[in-house]
Amino acid sequence: MTDPYRTLLPAPRRAARTGGEFTFDRVHGDPALVEVVHRLLGPMPVAAGPEDALLVRLGDGAPESYRLRVQEGGAEIVAADLAGAGHAVQILKQLIGPAAYRAGGRPGGVVPCGEVIDEPALAWRGGMLDVARHFMTKHTLLRYVDLLAQHRMNRLHLHLTDDQGWRVESRRHPEINELATHRRETMAGHRRSDFTFDGTPHGGYYTLDDLAEISAYAAGRGITVVPEIDLPGHASALLTAFPELGTGAGEVLRGWGISAGVLKPVPAAVKLVCELLDELLTAIDTPYVHLGGDECVTTGWTGDPEVAAHLAAIGARQPGDLHGWFLREIGTHLAGRGKRMVVWDEAFQTGGVLPDTIVMCWRGDAIARQAAAAGHDVVRAPEYPTYLNFDQSDRPEEPLSIGGPITLQDAASFAPLPATWTGPERARVLGGQFQAWTEYIPEERHLDYMVFPRACAIAETLWSGAPADYPSLVERLRDGHLARLDAAGCEYRPLEGPRPWQEGGAGRRAHSPVGRMTRQRWLEKGAQVPGSGVVDEATTHDG
Ligand code: ACM
């Protein structure tokens, strides 16, 4: 059997096996840490003393750091904090093996002796799930919390709103729940080649109680939920309930792309958004709120008398300036509640940032470097290679996606801290995350297929702060980690390619040749600072 100390993923800083093994079924130590063990490994008796038990205690060290020592007479976790203890327990589960990921097993397990000493290089290690384009059930999100925690990730970014659906209950404005949370049908093929629709309604939303549950469940596993309410663009769904507050209002969109459904940057819209955020923050316990700010079509603002009057009132020069104004106003409201705003990188270009705003950079390395150089904390989320909605190979069996490919090797090559940046620029990088946009990901099984194992590679780059050693990553997946995912019920894409039932076939999910990119083109695109933070033209084909 492969030495499990050699298949740990993400690879810890130091891990070495010694001889023998230790069997435990009891835990002892600091009650808060014992609780972490119970939560992550299952209930097990608390021993009166450390003999023959898993001993857990707090010690000194950097945030999230831990040491795990397993000897024949006992095992000990010394962690700097609860997060570090959680990581140590995740390592213990990886060492116990696949059985540790199955429900209803016996408490504890058999662990080969050895030692792990570890800490993360980056503080923000996340995954983004788009639950607006396709709603994912509460249970899917809870399962994703577990999967992220297993990879020692600590952020779940939920893209909760978009043109195709608003997924947050409002008790104050229940017309949102009625009108904005579902669409009458969904685009069936690729948006650039096939304008057919499936004729089937799609929808769903999380109640505030659901979101409170997800937030608490995540917190118990070391994960902070980062909710995103994406505005002022991507607002078609919200505008079904408040048509007077936007331009381009119509229906909850059925197709994909950049839409003309945009909130007007006026005080009444700011007031509504602040009310909705206040409600959301009764449910989600988080220091961070993502306000979106991406892909905003401002042409509808030009010539709108209400927008023109507001532009004059605040002395702005052009409608584009109002994009920045709108986000700053909401960010200031959030700051008053002790929350920090996060925005996509367009908002950095339009001035939609406060001094402590976190800029989440998706349009490549150059814009990320510019935001870091300007003194903003940056979360790296570049399309290449962190967008996991692209195909994983250029094989025709790959099912319908937006384009691609972005392979496992591409994901492993991600450099969160580019070597060409200056020290101060690199110091601004909080971390990074993968993105699972779900235009072409209609359900959970396909989400698993698209996210794993590429998310394993991204997790490793964020843990170490550097590209992963690809041959080693593949070896660890093949010799140990994929069996853990199997036991956890994760339907990842096998290294050899899709299983027969994961292929696109010849029907609705057939592979699309549209949207092909090469690594070279991705890199060239990302090396340019985008010309503008707003968009002149919608690209959706609804109607
Ligand atoms: C984005 O991909 N529009 C953030």
Side-chain angles (χ1 to χ4, degrees), residues 234 294-295 344 346 362 383 387 437:
H234 289 279
D294 60 324
E295 297 178 323
W344 293 113
E346 283 95 332
W362 70 280
E383 269 185 299
Y387 272 37
W437 298 103

Side-chain angles (χ1 to χ4, degrees), residues 24-237:
F24 75 100
D25 59 9
R26 295 176 309 152
V27 60
H28 176 81
D30 184 308
L33 271 60
V34 167
E35 213 177 293
V36 172
V37 173
H38 284 160
R39 213 176 282 132
L40 300 179
L41 205 53
M44 91 184 57
V46 178
E51 303 76 33
D52 294 330
L54 168 64
L55 175 63
V56 285
R57 64 181 176 88
L58 288 170
D60 292 335
E64 299 190 68
S65 64
Y66 65 92
R67 197 189 71 211
L68 167 70
R69 186 182 289 151
V70 185
Q71 294 170 313
E72 285 186 345
E76 184 188 49
I77 289 171
V78 184
D81 47 27
L82 292 181
H87 300 324
V89 176
Q90 296 294 354
I91 289 286
L92 201 58
K93 287 178 75 158
Q94 293 197 353
L95 293 171
I96 292 170
Y101 299 89
R102 294 196 179 274
R106 287 159 55 138
V110 182
V111 199
C113 295
E115 187 172 47
V116 177
I117 299 174
D118 198 18
E119 66 181 77
L122 292 166
W124 185 298
R125 306 179 306 280
M128 189 282 290
L129 298 187
D130 166 12
V131 292
R133 272 51 176 271
H134 280 102
F135 179 73
M136 300 286 163
T137 69
K138 179 188 81 178
H139 286 291
T140 301
L141 299 193
L142 298 178
R143 199 170 71 90
Y144 262 74
V145 165
D146 289 336
L147 287 165
L148 293 176
Q150 282 161 25
H151 293 86
R152 309 205 293 285
M153 306 276 254
N154 62 3
R155 300 282 184 271
L156 172 62
H157 167 182
L158 291 177
H159 183 78
L160 288 165
T161 72
D162 215 301
D163 295 302
Q164 297 81 8
W166 186 276
R167 307 283 174 228
V168 186
E169 176 192 24
S170 176
R171 295 182 190 163
R172 186 161 180 170
H173 296 289
E175 59 273 41
I176 292 179
N177 314 335
E178 264 169 55
L179 298 171
T181 56
H182 54 99
R183 57 182 180 258
R184 64 190 157 95
E185 59 182 352
T186 300
M187 181 169 267
H190 196 287
R191 77 171 177 89
R192 300 216 321 243
S193 61
D194 177 358
F195 310 127
T196 58
F197 295 85
D198 67 4
T200 306
H202 178 88
Y205 65 95
Y206 308 103
T207 65
L208 296 175
D209 290 340
D210 291 335
L211 291 169
E213 179 186 350
I214 292 162
S215 171
Y217 186 87
R221 285 146 189 82
I223 291 179
T224 302
V225 173
V226 181
E228 180 186 355
I229 300 295
D230 190 5
L231 296 168
H234 289 279
S236 303

Side-chain angles (χ1 to χ4, degrees), residues 307-323 325 328:
V307 176
H310 183 58
L311 192 69
I314 65 168
R317 277 180 297 130
Q318 53 203 1
D321 296 343
L322 291 173
H323 182 268
W325 172 85
R328 284 196 310 275

